[in-house]
Amino acid sequence: MLAACNPTHPSGNANVPQPAKPVELSRYVGRWHEQARYEASFQKGCEAVTADYAAKSDGSIAVVNSCREGSVSGPLRKAEATAKVVDGSNNAKLKVSFFPPFEGDYWVLDRAADYSWSIVGEPSGQYLWILTRSPRITDREYARLVARAAALGYDTAMLRRTAQ
């Protein structure tokens, strides 16, 4: 989630849209399962990817990203961060820091009304994540989410489906 970590990563969207909907943080926190992503060096070989978000007393959000290396039963790898809401963004834009003082952008570009799925990106178009509350979704549900990413202007040929 730190776009600055790999500035030469290809962009899959030259015109990243602004987030479509406000985000209620109390509904967004919890566990998300990655269904697909643009491959990035910091996630190379990751499967069974999850992101856990929890509200902190200071108004920030604790972030724990986890994955299994090489396969869904591979060794567990975790990274912890803190996220802060960008003022004036309706909670849809966050600044995430895994290595203070460096921050990366995390934009909730679109989400389901019931918070069952979320499409996350950042302003350069180099990173994209499709997240769901359920670890496994049907091929039809996956196709619908990929179509939504395409409607947002993303090159979906760059997506890598995540094994769950």
Side-chain angles (χ1 to χ4, degrees):
M1 292 182 192
L2 279 175
C5 287
N6 191 356
T8 60
H9 193 274
S11 178
N13 189 345
N15 298 299
V16 174
Q18 291 295 310
K21 301 169 186 147
V23 173
E24 289 180 50
L25 293 178
S26 64
R27 296 184 71 194
Y28 198 82
V29 295
R31 174 162 283 189
W32 291 91
H33 300 271
E34 181 187 276
Q35 299 300 322
R37 68 175 179 264
Y38 279 1
E39 191 68 278
S41 59
F42 54 87
Q43 280 190 290
K44 199 78 168 166
C46 279
E47 303 295 354
V49 178
T50 60
D52 291 291
Y53 305 116
K56 294 171 70 173
S57 60
D58 66 0
S60 65
I61 299 165
V63 178
V64 178
N65 289 343
S66 302
C67 81
R68 297 287 179 167
E69 293 185 38
S71 72
V72 296
S73 59
L76 181 66
R77 185 170 78 193
K78 289 185 176 190
E80 295 184 15
T82 299
K84 295 180 181 174
V85 172
V86 174
D87 288 339
S89 71
N90 287 318
N91 298 330
K93 294 180 181 179
L94 299 135
K95 291 285 189 181
V96 180
S97 181
F98 286 90
F99 310 103
F102 304 104
E103 295 178 322
D105 292 295
Y106 180 102
W107 290 10
V108 181
L109 297 170
D110 200 4
R111 59 160 178 81
D114 65 358
Y115 290 76
S116 61
W117 60 263
S118 174
I119 297 175
V120 175
E122 45 69 57
S124 77
Q126 296 177 352
Y127 300 91
L128 181 69
W129 294 271
I130 295 176
L131 308 174
T132 62
R133 294 296 191 175
S134 299
R136 289 173 200 82
I137 59 174
T138 66
D139 288 341
R140 184 175 177 191
E141 290 169 312
Y142 179 75
R144 202 168 45 239
L145 291 171
V146 169
R148 182 63 193 129
L152 292 170
Y154 284 88
D155 178 354
T156 57
M158 291 175 56
L159 283 171
R160 174 205 186 278
R161 191 158 186 185
T162 308
Q164 287 288 351

